[in-house]
């Protein structure tokens, strides 16, 4: 503002209206102090910016970069506190979301999955090994509750929540089979509830 006024041959003044005839070239002491404070602030801004950037760089130095999909290239699926037992059954059925796993949109479309009706849950037990190792995570499609022969499902029975492979006998009866040879198949009870079909598995190395 002050530089612009000099170019236009105008006075730069901030303060109460001054009486007519007052020497306008004389700045009151508070106007001089105000101008000096503004100059000092302008000189300190670059230093404060550099200090803020240095603090941010130090705080993020040891953080791993977050890999994100480009817009529209991936979808998030909630990780839920639901442990399906690959064995006699688990009673834990907490629907709390504790994180997210991102899946590529091309893979989702290829398998006809709707991420909004899916969740990622943990598996405990050995009855589905080696297909589903103890401690692995699975993608569960809650929209697929119709049993398919040979597909893997999470089922809630009177004994709890379990993950098993659906098997249809020659007589048309549905069984819950295990991939581990030490576990015998069990008959699907009439009051059993199919929670969803397993469409993906991940595990720690």
């Amino acid at each position: 503002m002050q530089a612009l006024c000099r170019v236009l041959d105008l006075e730069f003044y901030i303060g109460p209206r001054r009486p007519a005839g007052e020497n306008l070239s004389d700045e009151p002491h508070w106007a001089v102090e105000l101008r000096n404070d503004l100059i000092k602030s302008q000189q300190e801004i670059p230093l404060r910016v550099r200090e803020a950037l240095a603090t941010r760089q130090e705080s993020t130095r040891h953080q791993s970069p977050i890999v994100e999909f480009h817009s529209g290239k991936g979808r998030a699926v909630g990780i839920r506190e639901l442990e399906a037992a690959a064995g006699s059954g688990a009673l834990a059925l907490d629907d709390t979301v504790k994180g997210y796993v991102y899946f590529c949109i091309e893979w989702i479309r290829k398998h006809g999955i709707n991420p909004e009706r899916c969740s990622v849950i943990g598996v405990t037990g050995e009855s589905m090994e080696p297909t589903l190792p103890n401690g692995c995570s699975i993608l569960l499609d809650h929209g697929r509750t119709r049993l398919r022969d040979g597909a893997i499902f999470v089922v809630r029975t009177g004994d709890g929540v379990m993950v098993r492979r659906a098997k249809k006998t020659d007589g048309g009866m549905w069984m819950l089979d295990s991939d581990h040879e030490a576990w015998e198949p069990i008959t699907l009870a009439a009051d059993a509830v199919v929670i969803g079909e397993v469409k993906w598995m991940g595990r720690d190395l």
Side-chain angles (χ1 to χ4, degrees):
M1 291 288 294
Q2 196 173 31
L4 181 61
C5 288
R6 284 199 299 267
V7 172
L8 299 177
D9 195 23
L10 298 174
E11 180 193 19
F12 179 78
Y13 169 76
I14 301 176
R17 183 183 299 276
R18 293 180 291 190
E22 181 180 338
N23 186 358
L24 301 183
S25 62
D26 295 333
E27 289 184 297
H29 67 88
W30 57 265
V32 176
E33 293 176 357
L34 175 62
R35 184 177 68 251
N36 292 338
D37 289 343
L38 290 174
I39 295 174
K40 183 178 179 181
S41 298
Q42 291 174 350
Q43 293 173 344
E44 291 179 351
I45 287 175
L47 177 61
R48 293 179 180 177
V49 171
R50 288 195 297 270
E51 291 176 348
L53 290 176
T55 301
R56 178 174 177 81
Q57 290 174 354
E58 181 65 24
S59 64
T60 59
R61 179 175 299 175
H62 303 293
Q63 296 180 2
S64 300
I66 299 176
V67 179
E68 297 182 353
F69 283 100
H70 294 294
S71 178
K73 296 297 183 180
R75 295 291 299 276
V77 175
I79 301 174
R80 302 184 184 275
E81 295 283 357
L82 169 63
E83 290 189 350
S88 59
L91 297 178
L93 188 57
D94 185 359
D95 216 25
T96 303
V97 176
K98 65 176 184 178
Y100 295 92
V101 176
Y102 289 83
F103 291 86
C104 181
I105 196 67
E106 286 80 7
W107 184 87
I108 291 174
R109 291 173 178 171
K110 176 182 177 181
H111 294 276
I113 295 174
N114 181 0
E116 296 180 358
R117 63 183 185 187
C118 294
S119 61
V120 174
I121 65 175
V123 173
T124 59
E126 63 177 14
S127 70
M128 286 302 294
E129 291 185 349
T131 307
L132 301 179
N134 179 35
C136 73
S137 298
I138 57 177
L139 174 67
L140 184 61
D141 188 343
H142 299 279
R144 299 173 185 258
T145 57
R146 184 176 181 179
L147 294 178
R148 295 189 303 112
D149 190 23
I152 301 176
F153 292 87
V154 173
V155 182
R156 181 170 60 239
T157 69
D159 296 326
V161 180
M162 63 180 66
V163 53
R164 292 292 180 90
R165 191 180 298 276
K167 181 179 180 181
K168 195 172 186 179
T169 65
D170 294 338
M173 181 180 297
W174 284 104
M175 307 290 291
L176 298 178
D177 202 2
S178 302
D179 285 5
H180 196 292
E181 59 183 9
W183 293 79
E184 296 291 334
I186 60 177
T187 303
L188 180 66
D191 60 348
V193 177
V194 179
I195 299 178
E197 182 179 350
V198 178
K199 303 300 295 182
W200 170 88
M201 183 276 293
R203 59 173 298 181
D204 293 335
L205 296 178

